[in-house]
Amino acid sequence: MKKDMMVLLAGGGTLGPVTPLLALAEAWRKQREDISFALVGTQDGPERSLAQASQIPFYAIPSVRLPRFFSMEWFLIPFRALRALAGA
């Protein structure tokens, strides 16, 4: 007897990492009936609607943006990282 398998997909912010994950989930669903998925992504990214369209539960966590160039925003990174860690 096979046991149910749960796969956590993680990616977000843009659809670059999300679309391959959803394609992978679709391929796995065709091979295994006992598999289920959940997607973890950003609060404001476009991945939520794609996950819902694919009937995959979506969970949002705060993201930490790392600016390319030095700015005052860099001083907020540790606090945002702690918030993201608590959300995860």
Side-chain angles (χ1 to χ4, degrees), residues 7-62:
V7 177
L8 178 65
L9 307 170
T14 66
L15 294 180
V18 175
T19 50
L21 290 172
L22 294 177
L24 181 64
E26 183 179 332
W28 276 349
R29 280 182 174 163
K30 290 177 182 176
Q31 294 178 357
R32 296 185 63 152
E33 292 180 10
D34 65 332
I35 196 166
S36 59
F37 299 93
L39 176 65
V40 175
T42 62
Q43 294 172 327
D44 302 322
E47 60 273 10
R48 178 186 303 268
S49 60
L50 284 182
Q52 291 170 344
S54 298
Q55 298 177 349
I56 295 176
F58 178 80
Y59 301 95
I61 59 171

Side-chain angles (χ1 to χ4, degrees), residues 1 13 17 21 27-28 43 62 68 77 80:
M1 177 179 191
L21 290 172
W28 276 349
Q43 294 172 327
R68 243 180 237 199
I77 291 172
R80 291 179 177 163

Side-chain angles (χ1 to χ4, degrees), residues 67-86:
R68 243 180 237 199
F69 302 102
F70 182 77
S71 70
M72 294 304 287
E73 191 175 353
W74 278 44
F75 294 105
L76 299 175
I77 291 172
F79 303 103
R80 291 179 177 163
L82 287 173
R83 190 182 87 203
L85 183 61

